[in-house]
Amino acid sequence: MSSEIYDAVVIGAGFAGITAARDLAKEGKRVLIVEARDRIGGRTWYRPFADTHVSVEMGGNWLDPVGNEALMAEVQRYGVELSTSPQAENHVSILDGVLSHAACPISRDDELALRLFVEEVRKQVERINPTLPLDTQNVEDLDVPLDDYIDGFGLSVTLKELMGAWIRQETGCHLSQISALHLMAWIPVLNYDVMAIGHTPTHRFAAGTTDLLQRMLEDSAADLKLSTPVSQVEQSDEHVTVRLESGEVVRARGAVIAIPLNCLTDVEFVPPLSPEKTSAAAIGQSGAAKKLWALVTDIPEKVLGIGEHDEPIDVFFTDYPRDETALEGDLIVGFSTQERPLDILDRDDVERAFQKYIPEAQVLKVDGHDWFTDPYSKGTWCTPPAGLLSKYASALEATEGRLVFAGSDIAHAFRGWMEGAVATGSIAATRLSTILAEV
């Protein structure tokens, strides 16, 4: 055991952990970050596409410059440059078995039904306060499977498939695995724009998420241990002892736990976490998207594609046109879900998927990362199932002794976004500073 005692040990070097470490260090605390992976970033990962010179985001990617206040504050603090994904100029969809090239592939009746649906959802979300845990609000009736909620509106198959494609792209799982309340809780922080969930994402980091993360890390001057999985966290009245899988032991006066919800049960806590937090972690979150990248030729310029659940891809679009990269084709990003058989690393499989939409399409290279089987994520962006938020939201974020918790999985607003991670990291630093000041 090292005789050195830190003020704080931060477990996890994603946006939440690095934000917490930076804030604590700025208050004069001695901070150590331990990260299981061999890199920083957590469920964000900016790296070269296949064997090319062009880097892309394997995980978290886009941000909302208007609504993501905490993240944009960091962007502005460090002078990080943003860029934008191109707006679609060509469209293709397969909905209810019909191939269409219309920008809006629904009928006038569907447009009216969608308007009524949006009006009703807009009324419901006025009940939600995004600054408070959802289990402290009277919203249990909204914490139901999303497919059941949508089925109650009697929408056409085409409209339901269109909505479902965008929702699966945002959540990474079947609608039966999603709480309606989860998506509704986004809407107040999206300026009450219900349709924002179906908008093509735009703003991104010009030099990748790593650009901001590395600047924050360097600013913190915190010590960092990579490739360092944690096996046990033990706390007493005065200290936290972190046992690493390597056998090394680290001690601190307090700790920030900034690991994904689905990985929380992989760490032994002594004494155990509260029964409520333990139950919530056992349920976990459902997000398990397949995010694919493909270098494609013989496709329309700046294309946006949308597919029904029986198709292998929900949404795909041109993110880097060839004239921006000097590659042989356009870099297309796409989204699928785990229950589909699509192998995002199989060029032939991905090409067949694209050819259902665009028969002439030729796929030259593919790339991606399996976040679902990744032992340090066990899923993608947070998508709570029905019943989790209206029962356990407070428990998930609750401080336990000298342990404070952070991460986009437990955020009130923008749960599952980089914004949620940054916001909770800042909150965690404030809470731990208060605990340390009491000694």
Side-chain angles (χ1 to χ4, degrees):
M1 178 185 295
S2 171
S3 59
E4 188 172 27
I5 299 179
Y6 288 90
D7 291 311
V9 59
V10 177
I11 302 175
F15 269 101
I18 287 182
T19 299
R22 191 274 317 277
D23 287 0
L24 286 163
K26 287 298 183 183
E27 293 184 359
K29 306 296 190 296
R30 295 191 64 252
V31 182
L32 169 68
I33 307 170
V34 292
E35 166 57 49
R37 306 179 192 277
D38 61 359
R39 58 173 182 82
I40 63 173
R43 284 172 286 182
T44 66
W45 189 13
Y46 187 68
R47 67 163 175 79
F49 165 78
D51 56 358
T52 73
H53 65 281
V54 179
S55 290
V56 296
E57 300 284 3
M58 293 293 148
N61 203 145
W62 295 275
L63 64 154
D64 176 2
V66 177
N68 290 175
E69 296 179 359
L71 186 56
M72 284 304 298
E74 302 298 343
V75 168
Q76 293 162 6
R77 177 186 302 197
Y78 296 104
V80 172
E81 183 181 354
L82 301 180
S83 62
T84 57
S85 298
Q87 290 297 305
E89 297 177 359
N90 291 281
H91 300 80
V92 60
S93 62
I94 302 176
L95 300 171
D96 197 16
V98 177
L99 178 66
S100 171
H101 294 280
C104 182
I106 58 175
S107 68
R108 289 187 178 276
D109 286 345
D110 283 341
E111 289 182 26
L112 175 59
L114 179 58
R115 190 175 306 120
L116 295 173
F117 174 83
V118 167
E119 289 175 0
E120 177 58 27
V121 172
R122 177 68 173 77
K123 291 177 185 176
Q124 296 292 347
V125 300
E126 289 179 354
R127 302 158 50 191
I128 299 174
N129 183 338
T131 67
L132 299 175
L134 289 167
D135 59 333
T136 65
Q137 306 179 49
N138 185 26
V139 291
E140 294 91 344
D141 58 311
L142 303 178
D143 198 7
V144 297
L146 186 57
D147 57 347
D148 290 348
Y149 181 83
I150 292 175
D151 284 347
F153 288 85
L155 306 178
S156 72
V157 172
T158 298
L159 183 52
K160 285 199 296 184
E161 289 288 3
L162 176 62
M163 293 168 57
W166 281 112
I167 291 168
R168 289 190 297 272
Q169 181 258 337
E170 293 280 5
T171 60
C173 55
H174 191 274
L175 270 62
S176 63
Q177 300 172 286
I178 307 166
S179 166
L181 179 60
H182 168 58
L183 287 185
M184 287 182 174
W186 287 359
I187 296 169
V189 291
L190 293 171
N191 199 28
Y192 289 93
D193 182 1
V194 178
M195 295 297 290
I197 294 173
H199 292 170
T200 307
T202 53
H203 290 77
R204 63 193 177 197
F205 295 97
T209 47
T210 307
D211 184 19
L212 176 56
L213 285 163
Q214 191 62 45
R215 296 184 197 215
M216 295 173 70
L217 177 63
E218 291 172 359
D219 192 24
S220 75
D223 292 341
L224 172 66
K225 288 179 177 289
L226 296 175
S227 303
T228 308
V230 170
S231 60
Q232 186 188 74
V233 176
E234 181 178 2
Q235 62 170 319
S236 66
D237 290 339
E238 297 180 352
H239 297 104
V240 173
T241 301
V242 178
R243 291 178 172 81
L244 311 177
E245 288 188 1
S246 64
E248 185 180 357
V249 174
V250 174
R251 297 182 69 200
R253 296 168 58 217
V256 178
I257 312 299
I259 59 179
L261 174 60
N262 287 356
C263 297
L264 198 58
T265 56
D266 295 336
V267 177
E268 179 188 9
F269 289 90
V270 181
L273 299 178
S274 71
E276 293 79 12
K277 190 177 265 123
T278 300
S279 295
I283 295 170
Q285 63 97 4
S286 306
K290 295 178 180 180
K291 181 180 181 182
L292 66 92
W293 287 94
L295 185 63
V296 189
T297 63
D298 300 314
I299 60 170
E301 291 185 0
K302 298 177 182 176
V303 66
L304 167 64
I306 300 172
E308 61 193 7
H309 188 268
D310 288 343
E311 298 304 323
I313 304 177
D314 291 306
V315 175
F316 64 88
F317 54 89
T318 306
D319 204 24
Y320 295 94
R322 70 185 69 192
D323 59 4
E324 292 184 14
T325 64
L327 296 175
E328 298 174 75
D330 294 330
L331 265 176
I332 307 294
V333 62
F335 300 86
S336 184
T337 52
Q338 288 294 324
E339 73 268 16
R340 267 88 144 250
L342 177 68
D343 183 349
I344 64 172
L345 297 180
D346 185 312
R347 191 207 66 83
D348 294 337
D349 209 12
V350 173
E351 182 173 84
R352 284 190 292 269
F354 277 110
Q355 288 177 347
K356 290 195 170 190
Y357 300 87
I358 307 164
E360 303 81 14
Q362 300 293 313
V363 174
L364 305 181
K365 299 176 186 289
V366 295
D367 204 351
H369 180 68
D370 188 347
W371 297 98
F372 185 68
T373 61
D374 185 322
Y376 305 125
S377 61
K378 296 185 175 180
T380 49
W381 37 92
C382 183
T383 305
L388 182 70
L389 297 179
S390 62
K391 188 173 184 179
Y392 296 116
S394 294
L396 283 171
E397 66 158 304
T399 296
E400 304 205 10
R402 292 182 170 272
L403 307 181
V404 298
F405 295 79
S408 67
D409 294 356
I410 66 171
H412 295 164
F414 290 108
R415 186 184 301 267
W417 297 47
M418 291 180 283
E419 167 73 8
V422 171
T424 60
S426 181
I427 292 169
T430 298
R431 290 179 175 177
L432 187 54
S433 290
T434 299
I435 292 170
L436 298 181
E438 293 172 352
V439 176

